[in-house]
Amino acid sequence: MTWRDEIVRRVRGEHLPDAPLAPRTAVRVGGPADLLCRPADADALAALLRAVRELGVPLSVLGGGANTLVADAGVRGVVLRLPQDFPGESTQGDTLVLSAGAPISRLPARAHARGLVGMEFLGGIPGTLGGAAAMNAGTRLGEMKDVVTRLELATADGAGFVPASALGYAYRTCRLPPGAVIARVEVRLRPGDVAASEALMREDRERRRATQPLDRPTFGSTFTNPPGEYAGRLVEAVGLKGHRVGNAVWSPVHANFVTNLGGATARDVLALVRLARARVKERFGIALETEVRLMGEFPPEELEGLDGHAAAGGGPSAASGGARPPEAT
Ligand SMILES: Cc1cc2nc3c(=O)[nH]c(=O)nc-3n(C[C@H](O)[C@H](O)[C@H](O)COP(=O)(O)OP(=O)(O)OC[C@H]3O[C@@H](n4cnc5c(N)ncnc54)[C@H](O)[C@@H]3O)c2cc1C
């Protein structure tokens, strides 16, 4: 029996071998996953985490794929996608517990229905709540760490709520324990003016439509903003706004966004990223760091010079060492 058969046997849920990942990411780039798994519920998630550990199979977590660049060669092992709903969502006073696989938009919708505000920064950010919690997603209006109180983390050893204060939250990052998958997200909001909150979110979405290339596949900001600077301004200053490699381009609308003109490869995208990084380093002495998360097997030359790049494979894959899974068990 292969490791794939074994996982399909042990884990209740949806399983898709050799699953194309490009359509499951916002930028629409990259190769297939050996096995895409969507466990049916929390017990099936636990069974999956135990199975990959026992079988020595690498595991990567994909949320909505809004901030992920998948390698052209795809992803070895299991790519996990959570269902939108886990049992156990709740609201108590100003505290909400929501499934990590739920779309981000569920949070403002539930909050507003209960007269709660404080998550206006999420207006217009695509993805899942788990991805937003893992990335500390946000804008100048705020970020996830302002509202997350606890995350329910699932590992091969069990699941439990961990306080946000233990997760090393910082600008566009948090430190999840190796192998941990966010199963549910607990946030605390505050009672307030729902109409004003809705208006702020609407304005933010309109601002995005005017300033971001939302008509093309993209993963949003490519680089994080260095302290006191804007990555987009730096990329523009080194003459790369509108620069094209293959079918990927530094957007003429927003120079920190790479867009896919149709049929772009990860190789095209990373060529743009390396070029911008090298030019900005040379001209300004600033080492730009990627905000986009890389997932899968990239040839070493594609990652050259990206010493600050976000670890390939997403959070949990590092736990299994990124090794090739054994084909037979
Ligand atoms: C047009 C556009 C605009 C954007 N604007 C913004 C913005 O204003 N601000 C901002 O912060 N971001 C922005 N983004 C980026 C993106 O929307 C956010 O980072 C979002 O939170 C990603 O969520 P996701 O579920 O799609 O994550 P994914 O891209 O699927 O994953 C991102 C990372 O989180 C990890 N992860 C996902 N789910 C889990 C989980 N359950 N447990 C453990 N790890 C997990 C993944 O392994 C990966 O490392 C934008 C993207 C686009 C395409």
Side-chain angles (χ1 to χ4, degrees), residues 136-152:
N136 189 20
T139 62
R140 65 199 154 77
L141 295 178
E143 50 193 351
M144 283 299 278
K145 78 176 175 57
D146 302 338
V147 296
V148 170
T149 41
R150 298 188 302 165
L151 296 181
E152 185 186 30

Side-chain angles (χ1 to χ4, degrees), residues 4 26 40 105-106 124 131 134 137 176 193 216 223 231 236-237 261 285 306 322:
R4 291 201 286 203
S105 54
R106 183 176 294 177
L176 294 179
D193 183 340
R216 296 258 186 214
F223 298 114
E236 188 170 350
L261 299 172
L306 297 184

Side-chain angles (χ1 to χ4, degrees), residues 82-85 89 98-107 127-131 183:
L82 293 176
Q84 288 202 3
D85 296 294
E89 291 198 332
L98 295 173
S99 302
I104 288 174
S105 54
R106 183 176 294 177
L107 175 51
T128 61
L129 285 168

Side-chain angles (χ1 to χ4, degrees), residues 25 27 50-51 59 133 172 181 191 205 212 221 290 300 306 315 321 327:
T25 67
V27 73
R50 282 195 302 272
L59 178 79
R172 295 299 168 269
V181 175
R205 278 194 292 270
Q212 298 181 353
S221 295
T290 42
L306 297 184
E327 195 45 52

